[in-house]
Structure formats: C-alpha cells, structure tokens
Amino acid sequence: MVKTSHNPTSSTTHTGAGGETHQTAGGDTPVMTTQQGVAVSDDQNTLRAGAGGPALMEDFHFREKIFHFDHERIPERVVHARGYGAHGYFELTDSLSDVCKADIFGNVGERTPAFVRFSTVAGNKGSADVVRDVRGFAVKLYTKQGNWDLVGNNIPVFFIQDAIKFPDFVHAAKQEPDRDFPQAQTAHDNFWDFVSLSPEATHMVCWAMSDRAIPRSFRFMEGFGVHTFRLINDEGHSTYVKFHWKPKLGLQSVVWNEALKINGADPDFHRRDLWQAINSGNFPEWELGVQLFDDDFADSFDFDILDPTKLIPEELVPVRRVGRLVLDRMPDNFFAETEQVAFCTQNVVPGIDFTNDPLLQGRNFSYLDTQTKRLGGPNFTHIPINAPKCPFHNFQQDGHMAMHNPKGRANYEPNSWSQPTGGPRESVNGYRSYPDTISGQKVRQRSESFADHYSQARQFFISQTPVEQTHIRDAFVFELSKVETPAIRARMISHLLHVDQGLAEGVAKGLGLSPLPAPAQAARPVVEGLQPSPALSILKNGPDSFAGRKLGIVVTNGVDAALLAALRNAAEDAGATVELIAPTVSGVRDSAGHDLIAQQKINGGPSVLYDAVALLPTVEGANVLRHEATMRDFISDAFAHAKFIAHNDAAEIVLAAAGLHPKARDRGVIAIHSAQDAASFIQTCAALRLWEREGHVHAV
C-alpha cells in the first residue's frame, strides 16, 4: 500500500493497488474486528485466487460481513442435537511460538477460558446418550485475539470427502423420511445403502463399528480436529498441523449389550457422569497434542493430507503434547449456554489457517448459516456464551435481537470522522490468510489422490486387539441384520473384503450370506504393507489405574462395617467413586450400628452403571436377594460384560442363584475378607475388564 495525504482522523490512510482507500488504526482509534474479536487486516477486498481471480469461500470476514448485512432487516440442530457442555480453561505447557504466532500458543502457563460441548450426531435432542454414534468434541477458546473454535469429533476421520455430500450423508443416517424411525441409530437400509455406494466411507464405517462409537464417558474419549490445518508464525512460515485431545484418564468404552441396557437404565448416562465428576471436584482433563509436518512429509506420505477420510499414524508423526484442557464448572443454565452455544469452523485467530480440504472448506461456509437459522438471526454472537472476551468493534448493525450497535454517526468506513465518532479501522496485526499459490482450471472434480478408500481402513482393523476386532465384526453383523434389502448387505461385504478377508467372512457368516460376493471394484489397489498403529486401539491405550471410575457395592442390613470401609477407602484412594446399592434407597445399618444412605435401589441400580461391582450382603440379606430377579441380572450382566466382581462369603448364595457356581467362575470373580484383599481388588480393577472372559460368555 502507498501512503496518501494525512486524514483528519487519528488513523492513517493508505491507498491500495486498486486505488481503494485503507484506514489503519492508530492512537486512540480502535481496531476493527470480526464478531469473534479477530482483528481485520483488509476491509476493502475479498480474499480471491489471484488479484483478478474468483472469490474464495473461506473468506470468513466477507462471509460474516455480507451475511450480517443481508439479515439486518428483520431450532434444534440438524445434527449434534443432543449435547452437553461445561466451562473450563486451556493452559499452555509447551510453547509453539516457533511455528505459530497465535497468542494462545505463546506463553507457557497462561490460561485461556474455554467452553466444550460433547454431542452425538444422528439422534434428536431427546435421544439417549450411549448410542452407537460419532461423538462431537467442540471446543470454544476465548483467546485474547478472538474466539477460536476447534470443532471436531472423537474419531479422527469422516464419512465423506467433499462437503457437497453432507446433506446426503445426514439424510441417509437420520430417520427414514416415510416412517420417521429408527431414532438415534444407523441400523437401517438408507444409511447402509448410502455408505455401501460411497467407498470413501469405508474407513469411517470401521471406526463407527468399533468401540470408539460407544464410549464409557466423555471423560474417557479422545478428540480430534479431523482436518489438516496450518499454523503460521511471525515470519509467515506455514506448518501443517492436526489437533488431538488426549484424555488424562485413558480410553474406555462399553460393550454393545451393555450400551443397550445403559440406555434403558439411564438414558442420561454421559450427562450424569460429567455433571457428577465436575461437581465432586474430579475435573476432567485432556492434553492438547499436535502433529506437525511440512510439505516434504506431505509429498512423501502415502495419502493426501487434505483427505478427511485419512489420518496420519502417530508412529509416523508423533503427537507433541503442548497444553491441557480442564473442565471445572458446569453451566448456570443449560439452554442459555449449552443449547445456545454456536460453534463455527471459520472462527480462527491469527496464526491458525485453513487448508484446501474440501470438507473443511464446505464446513466453513455451512456453519454460519446453521447457527443463524437456529438462533434467530445474525446477532447470535451477542449471546454471552458466544461473545468473545476480548474487545471487539465493527459497523455491523441492527438485525434480529441486536444487543450492540455502533455508537455515534459513523456506521461505515472509510469515513472522515474523528474519534470516537469515526469508529474502528483495520489493523496491521489483523488476520491474514497464508498466501498459498493457487492455479488451475475451475472444475467440479475430486483429486485422484483421494481415490484410495480401503488401505487405511485395513490398517485400522489390523491395529485392533482380537477383542476389539470381534466387537467390530459383531457390530457389522448387528447393523446389517437390521437392513431389509439383501443386495445392500452383500454390497457392504464386498467393500469389507478389501479391508480384511476374515472380517468379511465373519460378517457374512453372521448374516447367513453365502457365497461371498465379489470384492467391490477398487479405484486404487489396497496398500497391503501398512504397519499396525497401536495408537488406534482403545485397549492398548487404557488407564493405568481405577481413577475416575465407579464402583457399585451391594449391601444389606448388618453389612460388615470394617470390610465395607476398607473397600470404600481403597477405591477412593485410587481416585474412584463409590455408590451403595441396597434393598431400599433409604439405606442400611452396618455391623457397627451406623446408618448408611444408599445411592441406588437394587432394581434401579443395575451393574451396567458401574465399572466394577462388589457384593457384601449378610447371609440373611443374601437369602432375600436371591429371589430378586434384578439382583440375578445385576450379577449375570456384570459377569457377561467382563467386569471384575468382588464378593464376601455370604454372597455365594446370590452368585449361585445367578448361575455363577464356583466352577463357572474365573479369576475376575474375587473373594475378599480383609482390608488387604480390598486394596488388591481395586488394583486389579485398573484393567477395567477381564477380556479373556468374552471367549466363554458371548454377550455383545
């Protein structure tokens, strides 16, 4: 820009290459920002592919500005409708200032306010928590430079490669339109018809059929940014990045039979878990990890880094832990905050930029329309949960439910009014997109580098333990068994033949399909030599203690006070919580004469609500409980779901009533008599499940 004559305002005036007027903030002139508080570097020109080229969809400043103008005259989310959120903070532990100029990554120890919303994708607002589904993991960070929304999932890849297919994918996954069911599940013809005709979905479908899709808790699942983004440093150098959230308490999921029963016993299971953890002071925590790589790696990698159906194995590019996310406060009001929070992938701050990932580019366009439709107009950023916590100024005005309008005479720029009337101006430190070189014809065409649809699906499957592989096979069988059209089932198996022969044969056998169909035609040959990635397995990345888990203890009147206290203390010392399950919710009196309040009643507190269970009845109490059907279910479910079971001698009566005679038990059914036994049992529970039992008890 060339400087022109001095303007009577306190800002500096420049002339751009096209002769347009630019006024830059200075002195007492406020900096112009977007509604998210991000400083604007150029308010005269849209972002385009070359000076004479077409405008680019990713120009979030233009989109926001024109969109707000279009709505100046004066509903449940389509997806991710069922969500739950919490406040917290992000604390930087390792500076990224060498690769990123964003303030949030500059000062070690600095805390940035955050709000996180977890969600399911397919279900409506009133659906259950523990359904087989992808989980949204959306983080709003209120940085000093404006709001940054990292809007991701608990799975690092997605079903589609181009955002133009998003309406089709969602329509296929939701209820079938003529009957409006099934709710909150994909076990129906439309979904499997779509994905079986979309080979690009094969990788994600394998993740969705894994235990990643039925997490035990929000606190025990990973989060991913999904896309490849750019980090920009002070010198303008770009580094590619993929974002990861790693749970401090390790990974954990449930089994399918257990998930079905949890939804019956407590459809708010995940919500209740987060609420209880935060309100008891056991604040959930994740580490932010980044995979950083350059163009040389991108060029040498077997797959296109811009393909959202692909991941980069951590063994190739290690995840660098740079900060921690802590959730320490629940919303004051669910609707005002969790329901009205509006996430947009376009909300980034200086130092963080987009790539040409076609799914990300489309998301940048879509989210603003979605939030405005839901929240009534262009002023949803005025709602406190969405407003930045740094100063923000612009000339956007009016519209539905406007809370902030420009003060004074000026509602446009450039203008010649002095301050404060003149209002905000551009900033030399405002957001600038990375000047990536773009050339080529305007075409509707997908990159050939996106054409390998099976290799990473195969890598994911072989990275799982045998237990997890069995769960994936059984999930495919369950889902496809609900498909009424045989041709769709066969078509899906034709894709699985490229993933793993044993998987395809196992699914076909479970469906009674014979002979096997021919393999689907692959756009590119499957890469057979990809090595397993242990980071992709839940069981290989589980916890090393029982911390954060829940122990359910069945008690009756006269329960051994010393043994109960020892077990409770051992669990709480390990960081677990304890609930008592009794014949009545009013509780019991222990052997020392103390009255104990129960948290659950026998027929209202099934074992699916706990990570491990203990049976401490008296002989008299056990003789009553052995006639209780829900007590027998409590034991048989815990055993079938491979959980650890502690018991005293009197519990032999109820164990036998549930069919667990001594010869039917294994090393996961543990007798305890002393404080030492109790401590040993809790140590054993760190493994969470005795998976070897599944080979004998098939309940998934």
Side-chain angles (χ1 to χ4, degrees):
M1 294 183 183
V2 179
K3 186 173 182 180
T4 64
S5 59
H6 184 68
N7 190 284
T9 70
S10 58
S11 62
T12 302
T13 301
H14 306 268
T15 300
E20 75 278 10
T21 300
H22 293 263
Q23 293 179 320
T24 305
D28 60 353
T29 302
V31 168
M32 175 180 288
T33 71
T34 68
Q35 289 278 32
Q36 301 297 326
V38 178
V40 175
S41 62
D42 188 333
D43 191 47
Q44 315 306 321
N45 301 296
T46 57
L47 186 66
R48 58 187 67 253
L56 299 181
M57 185 184 295
E58 69 177 74
D59 188 350
F60 59 85
H61 172 50
F62 166 75
R63 278 280 298 145
E64 181 189 85
K65 183 177 181 180
I66 197 69
F67 176 83
H68 198 287
F69 171 76
D70 290 343
H71 291 79
E72 281 184 4
R73 307 292 179 254
I74 262 230
E76 180 179 299
R77 291 170 169 87
V78 176
V79 288
H80 297 277
R82 182 171 180 82
Y84 211 55
H87 294 273
Y89 60 87
F90 171 77
E91 181 179 1
L92 189 68
T93 57
D94 181 13
S95 175
L96 283 173
S97 59
D98 57 327
V99 294
C100 183
K101 64 182 179 181
D103 181 78
I104 190 174
F105 290 135
N107 301 313
V108 171
E110 185 169 311
R111 292 184 174 183
T112 299
F115 186 83
V116 179
R117 186 178 186 271
F118 304 104
S119 57
T120 54
V121 174
N124 295 342
K125 190 173 182 292
S127 57
D129 276 350
V130 194
V131 293
R132 180 175 294 282
D133 200 354
V134 185
R135 297 305 188 284
F137 196 125
V139 183
K140 185 179 289 289
L141 294 154
Y142 303 92
T143 85
K144 293 179 178 178
Q145 297 171 296
N147 289 355
W148 173 31
D149 292 353
L150 185 54
V151 194
N153 290 327
N154 73 324
I155 291 176
V157 294
F158 203 63
F159 292 95
I160 54 175
Q161 294 174 325
D162 192 299
I164 201 170
K165 299 306 299 174
F166 198 78
D168 302 293
F169 159 66
V170 173
H171 287 169
K174 298 284 275 188
Q175 301 101 300
E176 297 191 357
D178 56 347
R179 62 205 71 185
D180 200 42
F181 66 79
Q183 162 67 253
Q185 58 179 300
T186 54
H188 59 95
D189 286 51
N190 280 9
F191 175 78
W192 289 99
D193 184 46
F194 176 81
V195 297
S196 66
L197 291 170
S198 307
E200 69 202 72
T202 305
H203 187 195
M204 179 63 168
V205 167
C206 288
W207 280 82
M209 294 302 104
S210 78
D211 293 344
R212 294 273 185 163
I214 42 176
R216 155 67 174 81
S217 164
F218 300 137
R219 298 180 293 132
F220 309 143
M221 70 182 192
E222 287 183 296
F224 302 91
V226 179
H227 307 286
T228 297
F229 292 86
R230 291 182 186 272
L231 298 181
I232 312 298
N233 67 9
D234 286 326
E235 288 72 44
H237 177 75
S238 166
T239 302
Y240 292 117
V241 61
K242 281 186 173 289
F243 295 105
H244 299 246
W245 296 108
K246 299 287 190 181
K248 180 180 179 180
L249 294 173
L251 299 178
Q252 184 182 347
S253 289
V254 298
V255 295
W256 181 236
N257 179 271
E258 185 181 10
L260 297 175
K261 294 175 178 177
I262 289 173
N263 285 332
D266 185 3
D268 303 306
F269 186 69
H270 285 160
R271 293 182 171 206
R272 196 181 311 278
D273 177 87
L274 188 66
W275 174 275
Q276 291 178 340
I278 291 177
N279 283 308
S280 65
N282 296 315
F283 301 142
E285 183 173 332
W286 292 260
E287 288 183 293
L288 176 63
V290 292
Q291 286 181 296
L292 304 174
F293 53 99
D294 56 17
D295 285 309
D296 288 340
F297 174 85
D299 293 340
S300 64
F301 187 48
D302 289 328
F303 308 97
D304 196 317
I305 63 162
L306 303 182
D307 181 351
T309 68
K310 305 296 189 298
L311 54 80
I312 299 176
E314 294 182 25
E315 292 75 17
L316 290 181
V317 179
V319 174
R320 176 178 166 186
R321 316 289 176 103
V322 299
R324 66 190 191 111
L325 173 69
V326 178
L327 301 183
D328 59 5
R329 180 170 63 88
M330 295 303 300
D332 294 325
N333 181 274
F334 174 84
F335 179 83
E337 298 168 85
T338 305
E339 190 63 19
Q340 289 196 121
V341 67
F343 294 94
C344 297
T345 57
Q346 68 178 42
N347 293 346
V348 293
V349 295
I352 300 170
D353 201 358
F354 312 112
T355 61
N356 294 332
D357 176 337
L359 181 61
L360 175 59
Q361 295 272 321
R363 292 179 76 194
N364 288 346
F365 182 89
S366 173
Y367 280 48
L368 187 59
D369 286 337
T370 298
Q371 302 300 359
T372 302
K373 169 67 177 177
R374 288 194 63 247
L375 299 174
N379 294 310
F380 65 86
T381 56
H382 296 185
I383 299 172
I385 191 66
N386 296 318
K389 298 185 185 300
C390 63
F392 59 97
H393 310 276
N394 51 61
F395 291 121
Q396 295 169 14
Q397 68 175 39
D398 303 346
H400 184 62
M401 295 187 72
M403 302 294 175
H404 312 290
N405 267 341
K407 294 182 179 180
R409 182 174 186 174
N411 59 355
Y412 64 93
E413 65 85 36
N415 65 63
S416 59
W417 311 118
S418 59
Q419 293 302 320
T421 301
R425 299 290 189 264
E426 301 165 355
S427 170
V428 293
N429 296 317
Y431 189 94
R432 297 181 186 277
S433 297
Y434 179 70
D436 197 18
T437 301
I438 300 174
S439 64
Q441 298 176 326
K442 289 197 291 186
V443 294
R444 290 191 180 274
Q445 182 176 316
R446 197 168 300 189
S447 172
E448 292 182 5
S449 60
F450 282 31
D452 185 334
H453 302 314
Y454 304 116
S455 297
Q456 283 209 346
R458 174 179 175 78
Q459 183 180 35
F460 173 75
F461 186 75
I462 65 174
S463 299
Q464 308 303 301
T465 64
V467 167
E468 292 168 302
Q469 290 181 346
T470 298
H471 292 175
I472 293 172
R473 181 202 66 201
D474 290 344
F476 272 113
V477 172
F478 174 87
E479 294 263 328
L480 293 173
S481 71
K482 303 297 183 180
V483 172
E484 299 172 356
T485 308
I488 297 175
R489 297 183 216 140
R491 190 189 307 140
M492 195 63 229
I493 291 173
S494 74
H495 294 296
L496 296 183
L497 284 164
H498 290 298
V499 177
D500 183 83
Q501 181 78 20
L503 172 62
E505 291 175 351
V507 175
K509 181 179 179 181
L511 295 172
L513 191 156
S514 181
L516 283 174
Q521 183 175 355
R524 282 193 174 180
V526 179
V527 179
E528 301 281 352
L530 297 179
Q531 294 300 307
S533 171
L536 303 182
S537 163
I538 293 176
L539 297 188
K540 294 176 183 176
N541 294 278
D544 55 8
S545 76
F546 201 50
R549 275 66 187 180
K550 185 179 287 188
L551 174 68
I553 306 177
V554 175
V555 294
T556 61
N557 275 321
V559 60
D560 185 326
L563 186 57
L564 175 59
L567 188 57
R568 185 196 292 271
N569 291 338
E572 292 176 349
D573 287 346
T577 58
V578 174
E579 285 192 352
L580 300 185
I581 306 114
T584 66
V585 76
S586 60
V588 298
R589 177 165 291 183
D590 66 20
S591 62
H594 300 123
D595 291 326
L596 306 175
I597 299 298
Q599 284 70 50
Q600 298 285 354
K601 189 176 182 293
I602 290 293
N603 60 4
S607 61
V608 294
L609 302 181
Y610 305 102
D611 299 290
V613 297
L615 311 173
L616 302 183
T618 61
V619 172
E620 181 182 8
N623 276 314
V624 174
L625 290 178
R626 70 188 179 94
H627 299 294
E628 175 67 52
T630 52
M631 185 70 251
R632 297 194 295 271
D633 288 343
F634 185 99
I635 295 170
S636 60
D637 278 345
F639 189 76
H641 300 150
K643 295 179 181 177
F644 292 101
I645 304 171
H647 66 91
N648 62 8
D649 290 340
E652 293 285 354
I653 298 169
V654 289
L655 287 169
L660 277 187
H661 300 283
K663 289 185 178 180
R665 302 175 199 170
D666 53 33
R667 63 185 183 87
V669 182
I670 301 170
I672 60 172
H673 304 96
S674 65
Q676 184 176 356
D677 291 342
S680 177
F681 172 73
I682 296 301
Q683 286 182 329
T684 300
C685 288
L688 299 184
R689 306 290 174 107
L690 185 66
W691 292 115
E692 64 192 53
R693 187 185 295 159
E694 280 200 341
H696 308 287
V697 181
H698 193 72
V700 293

